[in-house]
Amino acid sequence: MITCYTGGILAEAQDRGNGKTATMTFSLAFAKYPNMTFVSDDGTPGSTRLILGEPNPDISVFTNYRVGFADKVLSPDEISELFETEILRNCVIGIDEMQVLWDSHFGMNQKSVKNRLQRLVQQSRKRNVSIYYTTQRNKNVHAILRRHTNLVCECIKRHYFTHDVCYDDQCYVPHYVEVVDLDFRYPVWRWPLDCIFEFYDSDEIIFEDVS
């Protein structure tokens, strides 16, 4: 299963700071910790915390950005190399800012990297590998990846109390994220945004390699 988290379609002017990476991180957490729960210290949105609980011992998480519960943080090239050596199986991969790595205009600078990532995308099912990725706009990623993506979700950040769409990527009042399947096959789901920030750095800049 390959899932894209994107923006700028239903809420056209909202493609940055709309909760894409946060939602992917939340989804990665749920894959590894299927019994995680929400806890609120005083009932206010800002006090909601995510309690992970016990991990699923059969699932590993690999990311190209720093996530506190990830088993390894790797570059996409390193992830693809692991896939070729059969080490990468029974896992979930989270790739942030996919358009930086495999864009719709120029593909990848290194042919070998492109080929490896293409094989990973096309044959991930054979190793029980699920892939999540984010992109500011869905059409910014390469057409090959779009064709193999099973689920495209738009993340819409809304103000917690007024429910209106928040277009300010520097807004610090409480929010929740509305996650919409753009093919409308699955129900809309909503979750409180603030609870995930302790598990990753929302200001991390994504480059091709992770040191």
Side-chain angles (χ1 to χ4, degrees):
M1 182 83 167
I2 300 176
T3 302
C4 169
Y5 296 108
T6 189
I9 299 172
L10 300 176
E12 188 173 354
Q14 192 194 64
D15 59 358
R16 292 176 299 175
N18 61 319
K20 298 182 299 295
T21 306
T23 301
M24 179 169 68
T25 306
F26 182 87
S27 299
L28 292 169
F30 186 71
K32 186 170 182 176
Y33 301 92
N35 296 313
M36 66 183 189
T37 56
F38 294 108
V39 173
S40 180
D41 294 331
D42 59 12
T44 61
S47 71
T48 302
R49 294 181 292 116
L50 195 59
I51 306 301
L52 298 180
E54 292 296 319
N56 181 342
D58 299 322
I59 294 293
S60 299
V61 170
F62 300 92
T63 61
N64 74 321
Y65 65 109
R66 292 173 180 85
V67 176
F69 55 79
D71 293 274
K72 287 187 178 180
V73 179
L74 304 167
S75 72
D77 193 21
E78 290 170 325
I79 291 173
S80 301
E81 287 178 354
L82 286 178
F83 184 74
E84 289 188 347
T85 60
E86 298 193 19
I87 295 173
L88 209 68
R89 60 172 64 243
N90 300 322
C91 66
V92 183
I93 298 171
I95 300 179
D96 197 24
E97 303 289 359
M98 181 64 87
Q99 78 282 349
V100 173
L101 308 167
W102 199 7
D103 68 64
S104 59
H105 300 290
F106 303 107
M108 283 189 163
N109 293 331
Q110 300 179 33
K111 185 178 180 181
S112 61
V113 178
K114 178 180 178 180
N115 289 342
R116 284 174 181 158
L117 187 55
Q118 186 168 321
R119 283 196 291 272
L120 171 60
V121 165
Q122 292 174 336
Q123 301 185 60
S124 57
R125 178 194 61 81
K126 297 178 181 179
R127 302 269 178 79
N128 193 27
V129 174
S130 294
I131 301 171
Y132 300 145
Y133 69 90
T134 72
T135 178
Q136 291 181 355
R137 302 268 177 168
N138 187 36
K139 290 186 178 180
N140 285 351
V141 299
H142 201 280
I144 290 174
L145 178 57
R146 296 202 305 271
R147 291 188 194 108
H148 287 281
T149 299
N150 307 105
L151 179 62
V152 180
C153 294
E154 178 161 0
C155 302
I156 302 174
K157 184 176 72 174
R158 294 183 180 274
H159 293 117
Y160 195 93
F161 295 107
T162 59
H163 309 295
D164 55 316
V165 176
C166 177
Y167 293 100
D168 182 0
D169 58 8
Q170 299 295 322
C171 181
Y172 296 105
V173 301
H175 298 91
Y176 67 89
V177 180
E178 191 172 73
V179 186
V180 183
D181 168 17
L182 292 178
D183 287 327
F184 303 103
R185 295 167 297 178
Y186 299 101
V188 174
W189 55 283
R190 301 169 181 84
W191 64 282
L193 179 60
D194 295 345
C195 68
I196 200 67
F197 289 141
E198 66 176 295
F199 299 106
Y200 82 105
D201 179 5
S202 61
D203 294 323
E204 181 181 357
I205 303 296
I206 300 300
F207 300 98
E208 288 194 9
D209 295 313
V210 175
S211 57

